[in-house]
Amino acid sequence: MSETAKPAPPRPAFDQQSQSFFAEDGASRTAQVQALRLLHYRPWRGECRPAFYSVWPVARVSLRMMFRRKLFWGLYALALIIFLMFFFGQYLLAWAESQSASATVNVGLVRTNPSKLIRLLRDALKLNGSADTYRNFFRWQGSMVMIVLALAGALIVGNDFRHRSLPFYLSKPIRRWHYVAGKCLAVAVFVNLMTTLPALVLFVQYGLLDDWGYFVGDGTAISLGFVRLVLPINSLCLGIVGYGVLLTVCLSLFLVATASWLRRTVPLIMAWTTLFFFLRMVARALVDGLHYDPRWRLLDLWNCLSLLGNRLLGIPAAQIRPQPQPEIWEAAATLAALCVVCLLYLNHRIRGVEVVH
Amino acid sequence: MQSALQQRQAPDQPVIGSTPVLLFHQVSKWYGPVIGLNQVTLELRPGIMGLVGPNGAGKSTLMKLATGQLKPDIGSVQVHGINAWSADSRRFVGYCPDVDAFFEEMSGREFVTAMARLCGFRRSEAEERAQAVLQRVGMADRADRRIGGYSKGMRQRIKLAQALVHDPELFILDEPLSGIDPIGRQEMIALLHSLARQGKTLLVSSHELDALEKLTDHVAVMTHGRIAAVGTLSKIRAMLDDRPLSILIATSQPRRLAQALLSMSNVVGIEFIRDDSLIVRAIQAHRFFSKLNTLVLEEDFDIWHLETIDGSAQAILGYVLGKK
């Protein structure tokens, strides 16, 4: 079996007149000359957009790199399976309920309507469009998000420091905070694509399957001093958005800060495992095992996020498991303090580009 | 008239008298207790200037200060009169860092387009500019491949493309010629010359002095955080009075020539290397060459080869840095 060598692409020639490189074939040469004219014979008369607009290109670069890693595709598929499980679970139960509305079945000696059984099943599985549905969904999707972010942190932030490619960004007319904002935006887009957006899809789906009144619910009351506004929207919907915002802000700051500190994938995974898994175990051992003060649960950052998220979804504190839990404001203060620490570190870190490697 | 002539003869050399594009004024920079740059004053005008010096001399610090990545502790760095630390100044600067691993998952075109968008161009304008600069650096036909699969030379071209994409006035190029094959290097040098001819200002750092010599005659030599010398290689060499210039002369009468040369006050030594060649060591090179000219004409010496053997960038750098 003989192998044929792939012909090398034609080497571009250097044109002395225009001081540029050209492919040898004449056809593309005209197009190339045209392209050159665009840059060199048509001076830029437009105004460049303010540096603020550079935040999105920074985020796009990160997202592009993230979505191109084939390693992550398995995790995205897993996240998709979780979403589809909720989506079709809700759909299937609603469909089965509607199909058996008038029928009756014997369960042992009891004759009953199957729709009642299905409703029981919906409630037991928490696929009933309640706050519990979205809580479970956020819990499952959140776990996937954490895994992907732990793996992707080095890719989207750490490599800029490790491979010293940060100067590509910083030598452009943007400020350092635009860079940080761009990276946080990339994480935010990813987190919301994985959690908030599918949760809202589930919300809309349930509303369509159940009743239009579901979208409005009891409305959302907002008190502004003496004024009390009632928005004609289900508070669950705002709760979902709120939970998404909470995850977005906290996770983006945590990730950008830890990834710019640790840079490599393995240390980053170890750090996130410590933060979100080992500290969780320690907190559980202290509070549930040794019956220490429930404030020790504040060590568990994921619990703090869940506590706040559940509150935003309208779940009463007494229904949050495991019990006892710290106060909501304590969890909020812990997360806020950590976010401030991350911001301070990032402020130091992006100035720390000056440090000689 | 004379300056116009000089400019035509060497259009890529820094032009004297124009407003400085980059200005360092008494700049010092510390890294904790270590001084990176020590009271550096430097002006850059349109043309190409080489930046040479050993590792740790402060070249990278100087480049980072010029591109606004570092803030000087003392003094000021200005690009077109704007503080280099401000984001606005970076519209005038194109930086090509000495980094090999970057954005491996992206294609060359995506990378250059993204960099153009960071400069504030809208998508369509950014794409047009990316295409134009990729053409210019000879990467248009390979721009859609992943950067991860690029050779070092291709990476250098892509880095140069991203520096060119917003058509800046000042280029800071860190080792732009390393890793490029000889033909590619010639092409790259031609490209940099063409930029200089367009009136751009280029500051090029390189350890490859031979390549740098082909690129420019104008260098700044750095050592221990200071600028040890700035100017053309010949001027710097001429200033090194304590280091006699070595000149190789091939003649049919080496002994007679040596005798005549020894009578000159500028000549401090002569060494015979072959039957027909000698190396003359002379101080005050200009005066020596003038006298040699007269001598050869008056005494009718038959000289068929005359070469300064330690006027190269390599030798001058060695002398300036006090190394052999």
Side-chain angles (χ1 to χ4, degrees):
Chain A
M1 206 164 97
S2 67
E3 277 187 33
T4 51
K6 197 176 168 186
R11 188 183 189 88
F14 191 76
D15 185 283
Q16 287 296 338
Q17 197 181 352
S18 64
Q19 295 296 330
S20 307
F21 292 91
F22 289 100
E24 294 292 4
D25 63 310
S28 58
R29 188 183 170 103
T30 315
Q32 290 166 4
V33 169
Q34 192 67 32
L36 274 178
R37 278 182 185 151
L38 290 172
L39 185 66
H40 303 294
Y41 296 102
R42 182 172 65 85
W44 173 247
R45 292 200 179 86
E47 271 208 4
C48 286
R49 293 193 293 180
F52 172 76
Y53 284 92
S54 305
V55 170
W56 176 238
V58 173
R60 246 175 66 128
V61 168
S62 303
L63 287 168
R64 192 169 272 172
M65 288 195 288
M66 216 168 141
F67 287 122
R68 288 206 178 149
R69 272 282 162 99
K70 286 176 185 159
L71 174 72
F72 299 154
W73 290 4
L75 294 167
Y76 302 147
L78 231 71
L80 185 66
I81 287 170
I82 293 170
F83 168 69
L84 291 177
M85 201 175 73
F86 276 82
F87 187 87
F88 287 109
Q90 280 195 159
Y91 179 77
L92 189 69
L93 289 173
W95 179 78
E97 195 179 333
S98 67
Q99 292 300 304
S100 56
S102 56
T104 53
V105 291
N106 291 324
V107 181
L109 299 172
V110 183
R111 191 166 185 79
T112 182
N113 187 333
S115 61
K116 285 181 183 167
L117 291 175
I118 292 167
R119 205 166 298 139
L120 278 173
L121 192 64
R122 284 173 88 164
D123 292 343
L125 292 175
K126 311 285 186 204
L127 288 171
N128 51 1
S130 66
D132 291 329
T133 308
Y134 304 109
R135 176 182 67 178
N136 290 347
F137 181 73
F138 269 103
R139 186 188 296 158
W140 282 96
Q141 288 291 79
S143 310
M144 296 310 302
V145 167
M146 300 302 281
I147 294 168
V148 177
L149 288 184
L151 290 168
L155 182 71
I156 59 177
V157 183
N159 283 354
D160 288 345
F161 291 86
R162 196 174 140 219
H163 297 315
R164 295 186 296 145
S165 47
L166 198 58
F168 285 115
Y169 293 106
L170 299 186
S171 61
K172 297 287 180 281
I174 61 170
R175 293 180 201 287
R176 279 134 205 265
W177 280 109
H178 292 131
Y179 168 81
V180 173
K183 293 294 175 183
C184 286
L185 181 62
V187 180
V189 168
F190 176 74
V191 168
N192 284 296
L193 275 177
M194 296 277 276
T195 56
T196 317
L197 193 69
L200 287 173
V201 171
L202 289 179
F203 177 80
V204 171
Q205 185 214 14
Y206 191 83
L208 293 174
L209 290 172
D210 187 59
D211 182 6
W212 285 95
Y214 178 75
F215 291 121
V216 180
D218 298 331
T220 305
I222 298 173
S223 295
L224 299 167
F226 298 107
V227 186
R228 189 169 182 272
L229 288 173
V230 179
L231 296 177
I233 188 166
N234 194 333
S235 58
L236 258 180
C237 181
L238 294 180
I240 290 167
V241 174
Y243 204 157
V245 170
L246 176 72
L247 287 178
T248 300
V249 172
C250 294
L251 293 184
S252 57
L253 283 174
F254 293 168
L255 184 78
V256 176
T258 48
S260 60
W261 172 38
L262 297 165
R263 304 176 188 184
R264 289 170 186 268
T265 305
V266 174
L268 197 60
I269 291 172
M270 289 166 73
W272 275 55
T273 310
T274 307
L275 276 176
F276 294 101
F277 182 70
F278 288 120
L279 283 181
R280 186 182 182 82
M281 288 170 64
V282 169
R284 280 188 174 182
L286 292 175
V287 180
D288 300 335
L290 300 171
H291 303 291
Y292 276 34
D293 191 288
R295 285 195 184 91
W296 281 102
R297 240 190 255 285
L298 295 173
L299 284 175
D300 180 357
L301 295 182
W302 190 244
N303 185 66
C304 293
L305 282 168
S306 301
L307 202 59
L308 246 74
N310 288 347
R311 195 79 186 123
L312 287 166
L313 287 172
I315 297 170
Q319 285 181 23
I320 295 169
R321 294 286 176 271
Q323 286 288 342
Q325 287 284 352
E327 295 294 328
I328 295 290
W329 69 266
E330 289 171 338
T334 306
L335 291 173
L338 265 173
C339 287
V340 170
V341 169
C342 287
L343 281 169
L344 289 174
Y345 175 73
L346 281 170
N347 184 39
H348 167 76
R349 189 71 194 88
I350 53 176
R351 281 191 293 131
V353 174
E354 303 180 7
V355 174
V356 179
H357 295 287
Chain B
M1 182 71 185
Q2 195 188 356
S3 66
L5 186 65
Q6 279 172 346
Q7 230 176 301
R8 215 174 303 142
Q9 283 170 341
D12 46 354
Q13 299 306 312
V15 181
I16 308 300
S18 59
T19 317
V21 177
L22 176 67
L23 176 66
F24 277 70
H25 181 69
Q26 294 286 314
V27 175
S28 295
K29 176 72 193 169
W30 279 271
Y31 298 108
V34 181
I35 189 156
L37 220 57
N38 193 354
Q39 290 194 314
V40 166
T41 297
L42 181 70
E43 284 185 12
L44 246 70
R45 295 161 195 280
I48 305 175
M49 180 181 268
L51 185 64
V52 294
N55 291 333
K59 300 191 297 292
S60 295
T61 303
L62 187 132
M63 290 189 149
K64 283 181 181 176
L65 284 161
T67 53
Q69 294 175 63
L70 293 182
K71 199 173 184 178
D73 293 315
I74 298 176
S76 68
V77 183
Q78 293 186 337
V79 178
H80 271 299
I82 304 170
N83 187 351
W85 179 248
S86 76
D88 292 336
S89 74
R90 294 199 279 274
R91 293 207 184 279
F92 300 105
V93 183
Y95 180 47
C96 176
D98 181 24
V99 176
D100 286 332
F102 54 94
F103 307 98
E104 305 279 313
E105 273 75 20
M106 296 175 80
S107 72
R109 187 184 305 281
E110 287 169 345
F111 171 61
V112 178
T113 308
M115 291 296 120
R117 295 204 68 195
L118 285 183
C119 296
F121 295 111
R122 290 174 196 282
R123 183 195 291 265
S124 56
E125 177 69 20
E127 284 170 356
E128 282 174 10
R129 281 176 171 265
Q131 172 62 22
V133 291
L134 287 166
Q135 207 75 67
R136 192 154 194 203
V137 300
M139 282 294 291
D141 54 337
R142 294 160 283 182
D144 294 312
R145 281 165 48 186
R146 276 178 70 246
I147 292 176
Y150 281 177
S151 67
K152 177 144 189 201
M154 289 156 84
R155 284 165 193 255
Q156 291 285 24
R157 286 166 189 259
I158 283 291
K159 284 193 295 182
L160 190 63
Q162 66 81 32
L164 278 165
V165 77
H166 55 298
D167 209 8
E169 291 299 308
L170 169 67
F171 289 89
I172 309 284
L173 311 175
D174 200 353
E175 300 283 349
L177 302 171
S178 70
I180 304 184
D181 60 82
I183 299 170
R185 184 171 295 190
Q186 288 301 320
E187 292 170 345
M188 196 62 82
I189 288 172
L191 177 63
L192 297 181
H193 277 152
S194 78
L195 286 171
R197 270 194 287 276
Q198 280 180 12
K200 310 285 186 191
T201 307
L202 291 91
L203 180 64
V204 182
S205 153
S206 181
H207 281 111
E208 296 174 43
L209 297 177
D210 295 339
L212 194 67
E213 249 183 311
K214 286 176 192 161
L215 190 63
T216 180
D217 186 37
H218 207 100
V219 295
V221 182
M222 287 200 72
T223 179
H224 297 106
R226 284 178 179 273
I227 301 274
V230 185
T232 60
L233 286 169
S234 54
K235 276 185 185 170
I236 296 173
R237 184 66 190 84
M239 284 192 292
L240 296 166
D241 275 348
D242 58 326
R243 297 278 181 178
L245 186 68
S246 299
I247 306 130
L248 174 70
I249 302 174
T251 174
S252 55
Q253 302 155 295
R255 295 195 179 277
R256 196 166 77 87
L257 179 63
Q259 200 175 11
L261 288 173
L262 279 172
S263 63
M264 289 184 192
S265 57
N266 311 75
V267 176
V268 293
I270 290 179
E271 182 187 343
F272 291 95
I273 53 166
R274 282 194 302 272
D275 289 345
D276 60 349
S277 303
L278 63 152
I279 292 175
V280 181
R281 297 191 206 288
I283 54 171
Q284 297 168 322
H286 281 292
R287 203 171 294 171
F288 166 75
F289 280 118
S290 171
K291 284 182 182 176
L292 179 68
N293 210 15
T294 313
L295 180 72
V296 169
L297 290 172
E298 283 177 357
E299 302 285 329
D300 197 22
F301 282 107
D302 181 17
I303 290 175
W304 60 78
H305 188 89
L306 184 86
E307 182 192 355
T308 307
I309 56 175
D310 61 352
S312 67
Q314 186 87 41
I316 291 169
L317 184 64
Y319 288 151
V320 172
L321 302 179
K323 294 171 185 172
K324 285 189 177 176

